[in-house]
Amino acid sequence: MKKNILIADDIHPIFIERAEALGYACDYQPSIKLAGAMEIIGNYAGLVIRSKFNVDRAVMDAAANLRFICRAGAGMDNIDEAYAAEKNIKLMNAAEGNMDAVGEHAVGMLLSLMNNFRNSDLEIRAGQWHREENRGYELKGKTVGIIGYGFMGSSFARKLSGFGVNVIAYDKYKTGFSDQYAREVSMEEIVKHSDVLSLHIPLTTETNGLVSDEYLFHFKKPIFFINTSRGKTAKVSAILNAIKQGKILGAGLDVLEVEKFPALAEQEWFEELKTSGKVLLTPHIAGWTFDSYRKISEVMAEKLALVSDW
């Protein structure tokens, strides 16, 4: 089997350098579209992809010689994992490469929301000096609830360790993960005790729409809400409703149910979202820093080195 890799997205050149040192030939085509990839994918043993297109059954059926897929990021929701397993295609992601970026971004969003950074800045620029209206909250003594305690959730917990907070975490897919940074709890305890709720979960059929009107109704205290995972895990309409009801004090959203324009502007909730002074938005960049750009490629290369020769 020829050891060649189609790189269909922009990645740091360190991956190519290290893959070639392992004996792979890299075909770097970051501008290629799905149609173009479909025409040639059958010639490659490996595929490197970020989020350009979904690697579904059609793509894998066209990739007769494909042995592995490297996802340059954490989430695998744009790859049909079950079908890849059927075809014995190995999947590798690089969550270790951007977990620090995500953890720091989540902390930054939380501090900004709790201290009204955005509103204060805009008001001062507009000639307004409102101290009382922008009085903030301290993190110390608060309970931070984390849903999902993998690379991203545990990174967020570590970043919080100097703030004097009580960190609790729920993960449906693992147990016995309590450590010095977070205590494992049930979902009921998350709902009962959290002052802050942060999502660090993959998008699956189970997590799709997890944060809904019904879910938020059960929280016992008003919360600050952070989502740096996947947009479809939280319904924007439910977040906006909870803000109006006082159940969410502020929401930091790096991800949305619908992303990119013009589709985003066409959503019925977008006007309310963009005018809310209690929402902080970033364009799905929590894990996308100058540092993680390189680290993601380094992690993929390290995992590639562990794969047996084809």
Side-chain angles (χ1 to χ4, degrees), residues 10-14 28 50 97 287-298:
D10 172 43
I11 63 169
H12 193 281
I14 193 67
Y28 186 55
R50 274 174 36 209
W288 192 235
T289 63
F290 290 104
D291 309 270
S292 69
Y293 178 55
R294 179 186 177 100
K295 288 194 286 186
I296 285 170
S297 285
E298 289 176 332

Side-chain angles (χ1 to χ4, degrees), residues 208-283:
N208 194 341
L210 169 69
V211 178
S212 61
D213 288 316
E214 170 68 19
Y215 178 74
L216 291 170
F217 172 79
H218 295 286
F219 276 77
K220 303 304 181 185
K221 296 188 283 185
I223 60 171
F224 287 94
F225 175 70
I226 305 292
N227 190 5
T228 55
S229 61
R230 285 293 185 266
K232 291 184 182 297
T233 61
K235 295 184 177 297
V236 175
S237 60
I239 294 168
L240 292 171
N241 287 339
I243 288 173
K244 287 183 286 190
Q245 296 162 6
K247 296 187 72 69
I248 289 181
L249 300 173
L253 307 176
D254 180 57
V255 291
L256 295 167
E257 287 179 271
V258 176
E259 297 180 353
K260 301 181 181 180
F261 294 98
L264 177 55
E266 296 167 356
Q267 304 309 304
E268 60 181 19
W269 40 256
F270 181 65
E271 189 65 29
E272 183 180 352
L273 183 74
K274 76 175 185 179
T275 57
S276 174
K278 295 184 179 296
V279 177
L280 183 64
L281 300 168
T282 53

Side-chain angles (χ1 to χ4, degrees), residues 106-126:
V107 171
M109 289 192 115
L110 180 57
L111 292 174
S112 179
L113 288 168
M114 295 183 76
N115 294 281
N116 297 306
F117 289 165
R118 176 176 175 272
N119 288 344
S120 296
D121 179 78
L122 291 173
E123 288 170 1
I124 292 172
R125 293 174 191 275

Side-chain angles (χ1 to χ4, degrees), residues 189-201:
E189 289 177 89
I190 292 282
V191 168
K192 181 178 180 180
H193 299 296
S194 295
D195 298 294
V196 175
L197 178 68
S198 188
L199 300 189
H200 299 275
I201 51 179

Side-chain angles (χ1 to χ4, degrees), residues 54 71 74-81 202-204 230:
N54 289 334
R71 164 76 170 93
M76 302 291 277
D77 45 282
N78 64 322
I79 299 173
D80 188 333
E81 295 184 74
L203 178 62
T204 66
R230 285 293 185 266

